[in-house]
Amino acid sequence: MISFESISLDIDDAQIFSGLNLYVNENEKFLIQGRSGMGKTSLLRLILGFEQPKSGHITINGLPLDKTNIYQIRKQIFYLSQDIDLKDEIIIRLLTEILEYNFPSEPPLKKINNHLTFLELPQGILQKRTRDISGGERQRIGLLIGLLLDRPIWLLDEPTSSLDDAMKEKISAHVLSLNKTIVIISHDPVWKNNSKVTIKRWS
Amino acid sequence: MGALDLSIFSLGSLFIFLLPILYISRYLKLGINKSIIFSMGRMCLQLSFVGLYLEFLFKLDSPWLNGIYLLMMISIACYSILKSSRLKIRLFFKPLFLAILIPFTIILLFFNGMVVRIDNLFEAKYLIPIGGMLLGNCLRTIIIGLTNFYSGLKKNEKEYLYSLSLFNNRIQALKPWFRESIVAAITPTLASMATIGLVSLPGMMTGQILGGSIPIVAIKYQIAIMICIFYTEYFSVILSILFSLKKGFNSFDVLNTDIFQKDYS
């Protein structure tokens, strides 16, 4: 599903990694661990075409990652960035905009409430702005967007860092049960204590 | 009819007041005497040059020459906009030139043909001063627009990229920055339109009244020109952002890092 062939990446003339090979199969749950500053986030940014490798080939779902395929590729990917960089907007308006844009014929607005209950978020949060909620709430709003978009590939960068233990358990179990290809970067032990996960230790 | 001519001597008499100014600035150690002399000197020199040139242009009144003069004015405007916005001239000159040229030409010719109804659309007496007013005002608007757009994006690049991942469409992801920069660029003009006449009489009107027009005619021209300025600004700022996108972003829709002039960090 995702394949890296001898990928080298430089950012601002500094080498982040070189000769990286990596394969993630369809529906695999792939956990990447390693010290911070090693380029784990850059790896996700490469998959999204936000960074360009200096050399090597990246293929996503059979498509070489290049400018002609980038639209097709991004369409399949849900990305949850570490800081959940949502633009400043009232949450329900943002959700509506995202859904109406991605599902022009029938935006699944009704599903919002079911997911809110699962994520243990109050209804009232929809009227708040993305900047005014806590880190844990932002992470869950981010996941809510992922569940609504329902894209086949998920890239999650520290998705549970601001959640309490019970929530970490609940969300990791649910995410790992999804019928999707998922790459997770996380220091949280909940992710690796699950038999479904392939662990890639980065050194 | 027409304003009284000023003799060189009487014009020069105005410089008497410069003496106390230079003295006071020196006493207060403002350190701006050099710039005062430099700026005033440049102003006098540039305007004298334009005066001579315009006299020549008006006498000849060749549509071709007038057109070329306007194109030159647009080029200078582009250059100075990009310099102030700290964007690379090599990359953005062409798109910016088109972004100004299109609305500018349409509005200017409409003004001459439909509003003033002169026979020769390229008549120097109208084309050049009106064109100059439109351009001069666009300058500020586009500088605000482009600067806001690209510096805002650079500052919030992560937010833009995240939107790009959610919408998978560059234009949709860029909308907040579009809105913000267009509004910021247009607001000063809206404010000045809303207060015009209450505080100051605009320069064009003053000039026309001195030139012998009756106030009601001068007012009509002023209204027409304000409307034209607003239209030209509005369209040229939107187009300048739109046309710049091709150079501003790479083929993966990521903001290019090398679009800013060197001293920008």
Side-chain angles (χ1 to χ4, degrees), chain A:
Chain A
M1 194 71 167
I2 302 173
S3 110
F4 277 45
E5 262 174 75
S6 53
I7 293 295
S8 300
L9 176 71
D10 284 14
I11 294 176
D12 298 331
D13 297 326
Q15 191 177 74
I16 307 294
F17 43 72
S18 71
L20 177 76
N21 292 301
L22 192 129
Y23 301 93
V24 182
N25 297 315
E26 189 165 354
N27 281 332
E28 193 174 5
K29 312 294 178 277
F30 198 89
L31 177 68
I32 301 172
Q33 293 195 309
R35 282 183 290 113
S36 50
M38 298 186 70
K40 298 192 297 291
T41 297
S42 301
L43 190 117
L44 301 189
R45 288 168 57 90
L46 275 168
I47 299 174
L48 287 153
F50 295 166
E51 307 278 358
Q52 298 310 312
K54 199 173 126 198
S55 61
H57 299 282
I58 301 175
T59 325
I60 313 290
N61 206 2
L63 295 169
L65 188 111
D66 58 27
K67 61 182 177 184
T68 45
N69 294 327
I70 189 69
Y71 174 80
Q72 286 301 325
I73 288 173
R74 283 195 187 132
K75 211 164 77 172
Q76 304 177 43
I77 299 177
F78 166 67
Y79 172 47
L80 191 63
S81 64
Q82 191 164 9
D83 302 313
I84 312 115
D85 307 283
L86 296 168
K87 63 179 173 180
D88 187 26
E89 176 64 281
I90 293 171
I91 290 168
I92 185 66
R93 281 203 209 147
L94 181 67
L95 293 178
T96 312
E97 188 190 353
I98 293 169
L99 292 180
E100 284 178 349
Y101 196 82
N102 281 282
F103 308 95
S105 51
E106 46 181 332
L109 292 165
K110 286 188 187 129
K111 286 191 188 158
I112 293 176
N113 284 334
N114 301 339
H115 293 311
L116 276 183
T117 318
F118 170 74
L119 294 163
E120 299 176 24
L121 288 166
Q123 279 281 330
I125 200 164
L126 295 176
Q127 304 306 326
K128 293 188 182 165
R129 299 189 78 89
T130 47
R131 295 268 161 87
D132 297 337
I133 57 177
S134 72
E137 287 171 327
R138 274 163 78 87
Q139 278 185 332
R140 281 176 282 164
I141 290 291
L143 284 163
L144 168 66
I145 295 172
L147 293 167
L148 290 167
L149 286 177
D150 202 22
R151 293 178 182 166
I153 302 173
W154 281 26
L155 308 177
L156 310 177
D157 196 348
E158 296 290 353
T160 45
S161 58
S162 308
L163 303 177
D164 62 42
D165 290 345
M167 208 61 206
K168 280 183 212 269
E169 286 287 348
K170 185 175 177 183
I171 284 180
S172 60
H174 182 69
V175 167
L176 293 173
S177 74
L178 294 171
N179 200 17
K180 296 178 187 305
T181 309
I182 305 181
V183 180
I184 306 140
I185 296 173
S186 180
H187 292 95
D188 277 327
V190 288
W191 295 97
K192 73 173 175 208
N193 297 340
N194 193 306
S195 57
K196 288 175 196 148
V197 171
T198 314
I199 300 176
K200 160 101 178 171
R201 223 171 281 284
W202 193 304
S203 52

Side-chain angles (χ1 to χ4, degrees), chain B residues 70 73 104 108 111 126-141 196 202-205 208 221-222 224-226 228-230 232-233:
Chain B
L70 281 185
M73 276 165 64
F104 176 81
L108 185 59
F111 179 87
Y126 290 90
L127 195 75
I128 289 165
I130 302 289
M133 287 187 74
L134 296 184
L135 266 183
N137 285 282
C138 283
L139 216 68
R140 186 204 53 200
T141 314
I196 200 158
M204 186 196 190
M205 239 179 92
Q208 273 193 313
Y221 269 89
Q222 187 60 46
I225 194 73
M226 286 302 291
C228 290
I229 287 173
F230 174 66
T232 316
E233 285 182 354

Side-chain angles (χ1 to χ4, degrees), chain B residues 62-98:
Chain B
S62 136
W64 286 106
L65 208 61
N66 298 344
I68 289 171
Y69 185 70
L70 281 185
L71 291 181
M72 208 181 75
M73 276 165 64
I74 298 179
S75 304
I76 296 172
C78 290
Y79 181 79
S80 98
I81 287 169
L82 292 174
K83 236 178 133 170
S84 302
S85 323
R86 303 226 167 270
L87 292 168
K88 277 193 181 156
I89 291 160
R90 182 172 51 82
L91 294 175
F92 292 102
F93 189 89
K94 218 169 94 187
L96 183 57
F97 189 86
L98 283 177

Side-chain angles (χ1 to χ4, degrees), chain B residues 216-240:
Chain B
I216 196 72
V217 174
I219 293 270
K220 283 185 196 156
Y221 269 89
Q222 187 60 46
I223 290 174
I225 194 73
M226 286 302 291
I227 294 174
C228 290
I229 287 173
F230 174 66
Y231 291 167
T232 316
E233 285 182 354
Y234 185 88
F235 290 114
S236 63
V237 74
I238 291 179
L239 290 182
S240 62

